[in-house]
Amino acid sequence: MLRTALRNVLAHKARLLMTMLAVLLGVAFVSGTLVFTSTISDAFHKSSEKGYANVDVSIQQDNSDAPEGRDAISPLSQRTLDRADKLPGAKSATGVVSGFAALSDKNGKLVGDGFSTEGANYYAGRDGKGSDPRYPMKDGAAPRAPGQIALDAKTAERTGYKVGDTVRMSVDGPVRKEKVTGIYTTDDGNVAAGGSLVLFDNATAQQLFAKPGEYTEIQLKAEPGVSQAALKQRAEKILPSDAEAVTGKKLAEDESQQIESSMSGMKTSLLAFAGIALFVGIFIIANTFTMLVAQRTKELALLRAVGASRRQVTRSVLIEALVVGTVAGLMGMAAGVGIGAGLRALVGNMGTMPDGPLVIAPSTVVISLLVGVFITVLAAWLPARRAAKIPPVAAMGSVHAPATTRSLIVRNTIGALLSAAGAVLVLMATNMKDGKAPMGAGAGLLLIGVFVLTPLLSRPLIAATAPVLRLFNVSGKLARQNAVRNPRRTAATASALMVGLTLITGLTVIAGGVQKAVDKMASDSLKADYAISMANFTPLSPTVEKKLVQSDKVTATSPMRNAPAEIDGEPEYLTGVNGSTIGQLTSLDFTKGGWSGVAGGKQVVVDDKTAKKQGWKPGSRFEVTYDDGKKAQLSVAGVYKGNEMIKGIIVDNKAVTPHMEKVVDMQVLAKTKDGATAEVKKSLEKQLGNNPAVQVQDKKDISEGIAQMINIMLNMLYGLLAMAVIVAVLGVINTLAMSVFERGQEIGMLRAIGLDRRGVKRMVRLESLVISLFGGVLGIGLGVFFGWAAGELIAGSLATYTLVLPWGRMGVFLALAALVGILAALWPARRAARLNMLAAIKTE
């Protein structure tokens, strides 16, 4: 039986080719994902180790006891640094202070994406005459005075800046002009990943990112022979309150764990799409082995007649699947290594990750092989079991063994129950507070139920195409009859395409609803023409609002400030505004009260959810404890409907500003005489010094920014789901090719009685088109349902969410399904038309 199975694989290698390709693609996706993520993790891990090579112990602020959302209270002072420098066993002690620093390139654009552009201090000792071991100078000299900076070598190469150039940059809003005095090299992980690091002299960095004489970290280097643990014990004796000592090894390990954690999300997402491609591949494999078994019914019956048991017949088919899965798994793993290498080179060229070798872990090889073998054997098990059940005498008399009425009734009953249970679960989840898990389970059940019911659904849906197919005369009629001749085969072929289009359509429906919600939120909440903020949404200097007020085009402004506080012992954030102008800049939907009284600094407006939680209404009084420990009595002036753009407790800046340790704004709202126009926007940007770190956005810009992010996400998902569509195309080609082979005698007879080659080609193409459109209609229908259901969940947290049906894109998806059918039929149709009619008629 083993020799028989191996000979069958060799005898049908051409028919198994598409099955191998389907498995190969899925396995390649899995192994490519594992290779790529392992390579990135290893590169960042080694970069972390390099970055902490000169750090044996770090003294840091301990945030564990700080209230949620706030930094530790006690900073590290120069006194602590001096004591650390004198510790026995400490070779050196370096003070560190860092923060956001936006650098402009020569074209005035922000270098990087704004989230990885940082600034730090060059610590040259207390006298300022030493050198900082962290940043060896490659060219020029270190910054020693205000107005001087040093750039990392990668940023200098990317921007073209050299020693002596003057650059424009910003830390919290105002534009700064700095002279480049040096170019340095560094193992900093942020720089290795494509970020930039601007160095200031120690005093300037403290002024910008902390306070004079204060640091955010102190790094200790041990003398030779002194262990990190021993130096840590000694450092713990000089720690101020709210500080901790951590070894360099622990810091590197923590950073590696963070990298692993951040990689796990991407790895899970990519593997999920690989799983979808493999799931689609199951349909192809099952279809292929079902057709192969059907074609070999007499052969299998003969084996039974000469003494082979049912178990041996089943085992022989599974051995074929095992061979196919092993070969496809090995080829897929090799292809995956190539994919991983390609992605590594692509990301490396973009400068967003450190250098490092390609990592092929043993687990990647094992997983790739196991996935390929398991998927193939699993998909082939049902056809193998069905083949073994055919009685030898019945099989010897018939090439085909049609499904019994009882089996179809059982299948339809199971499908109906699964579909009903899934639909009910999805509908119930839409009314649950946290219905993600039930909805996911329901969606899975419904998808499986529809797949099981697909043979039943195929007849009425394909019959609906009869009026159109009649236009193609005999070829159209034969195509429709062939499409419904074997409902199970049609169902498996169409379901492969259905899965991909279900996901694509569902994601598109959700994205359209979210975009519409954002547009509505921006138009409903804001009267302001512009919102001004930092490019990475870090705090904005109050000088920005002062500059805007000086413009003759601006009629009203309001800075928005976040101030930490406590209400009834619970941490709460207050949003400070200009109470006298905020009504001109926002359009909140007040259910009770309004802005009247807020300008005095004694009253607040609050969103409906917070009011309900606290039991407040207009006139309610409460005590607030500000961040500096001082208390005040406030009262509620109004309750409004909050949204993701504006929510929480809003009070006049007069009340919160005196209690803020450092006065900063999160954004500034501005209204202008001429409204939001390109000319006004350009004028405001010029007023702010054409600052690359500050973005001036109108409502359209806000919506387009979010739309761009959604479109980027959708395009990435479309690209990943394209793998499932490619596998589905292979499935249609495979099914049609084997169907043509199976119907060779029939096609020969059709040719003999007058159907020309063009008619045969048309028949196969129309059959493929009908099957693909059937899968497309099911996929788009399910996708719309799932998109609606997910939108109902989203609407619970996004009040402005409404269902948006993307008719244009759905039309494109249906056209894509039709294109799949047309392309998939090219080779099988050509093969069918070239059959020798006499040879085909004589074939059994």
Side-chain angles (χ1 to χ4, degrees), residues 13-86:
K13 53 183 178 290
R15 303 181 208 174
L16 291 169
L17 179 61
M18 293 298 175
T19 299
M20 285 188 178
L21 281 174
V23 179
L24 184 153
L25 286 172
V27 172
F29 209 153
V30 171
S31 59
T33 297
L34 295 175
V35 168
F36 179 57
T37 52
S38 297
T39 299
I40 289 180
S41 296
D42 182 71
F44 276 107
H45 177 74
K46 289 179 178 176
S47 177
S48 298
E49 290 179 342
K50 285 182 182 178
Y52 290 108
N54 291 317
V55 182
D56 289 311
V57 173
S58 171
I59 299 176
Q60 304 175 336
Q61 298 181 37
D62 184 3
N63 294 319
S64 58
D65 295 329
E68 186 179 354
R70 304 191 207 175
D71 295 330
I73 298 170
S74 301
L76 301 174
S77 65
Q78 183 66 44
R79 180 172 177 272
T80 305
L81 176 59
D82 291 341
R83 294 181 67 188
D85 197 27
K86 296 175 183 177

Side-chain angles (χ1 to χ4, degrees), residues 426 430 439 506 510 784-796 801:
V426 169
T430 59
M439 183 169 288
I510 294 169
V784 169
F785 176 71
F786 291 146
W788 165 81
E792 291 296 300
L793 277 184
I794 294 171
Y801 182 90

Side-chain angles (χ1 to χ4, degrees), residues 65-299:
D65 295 329
E68 186 179 354
R70 304 191 207 175
D71 295 330
I73 298 170
S74 301
L76 301 174
S77 65
Q78 183 66 44
R79 180 172 177 272
T80 305
L81 176 59
D82 291 341
R83 294 181 67 188
D85 197 27
K86 296 175 183 177
L87 273 178
K91 183 178 180 181
S92 64
T94 304
V96 179
V97 60
S98 61
F100 171 72
L103 180 69
S104 170
D105 64 17
K106 291 186 176 181
N107 296 320
K109 295 182 179 180
L110 183 66
V111 174
D113 57 10
F115 290 86
S116 56
T117 52
E118 293 189 353
N121 65 320
Y122 184 90
Y123 185 74
R126 191 168 187 179
D127 58 2
K129 296 180 180 179
S131 61
D132 192 330
R134 300 172 298 167
Y135 310 117
M137 287 294 146
K138 179 181 178 182
D139 188 20
R144 302 287 182 180
Q148 299 178 355
I149 61 167
L151 296 179
D152 65 89
K154 285 191 174 183
T155 299
E157 182 181 354
R158 197 162 67 230
T159 57
Y161 285 132
K162 298 178 181 178
V163 173
D165 288 347
T166 298
V167 303
R168 298 172 69 255
M169 61 175 302
S170 176
V171 171
D172 58 358
V175 175
R176 302 172 61 91
K177 292 184 178 180
E178 311 282 354
K179 184 178 180 180
V180 179
T181 60
I183 308 293
Y184 66 94
T185 58
T186 178
D187 290 323
D188 185 277
N190 183 60
V191 173
S196 64
L197 182 61
V198 179
L199 298 183
F200 300 88
D201 68 282
N202 193 61
T204 301
Q206 288 178 327
Q207 182 182 0
L208 293 173
F209 306 125
K211 288 183 177 180
E214 293 179 356
Y215 300 93
T216 54
E217 182 185 2
I218 295 173
Q219 296 177 350
L220 300 176
K221 178 69 176 173
E223 293 277 5
V226 179
S227 68
Q228 291 187 355
L231 187 59
K232 176 178 177 289
Q233 285 183 343
R234 297 168 188 173
E236 286 173 343
K237 296 177 182 178
I238 64 165
L239 292 180
S241 60
D242 298 317
E244 61 177 345
V246 185
T247 62
K249 182 180 178 182
K250 180 71 165 53
L251 289 173
E253 288 174 354
D254 289 346
E255 190 166 299
S256 295
Q257 287 178 359
Q258 289 178 358
I259 293 166
E260 287 289 339
S261 178
S262 62
M263 287 292 105
S264 66
M266 181 177 68
K267 183 190 290 186
T268 302
S269 300
L270 291 174
L271 289 177
F273 287 102
I276 292 167
L278 287 167
F279 180 66
V280 171
I282 288 175
F283 299 127
I284 300 173
I285 300 164
N287 233 7
T288 302
F289 277 94
T290 298
M291 296 172 76
L292 284 175
V293 167
Q295 291 169 14
R296 288 159 43 202
T297 302
K298 283 190 176 182
E299 175 192 327

Side-chain angles (χ1 to χ4, degrees), residues 379 527 531 552:
K527 288 182 184 176
D552 58 357

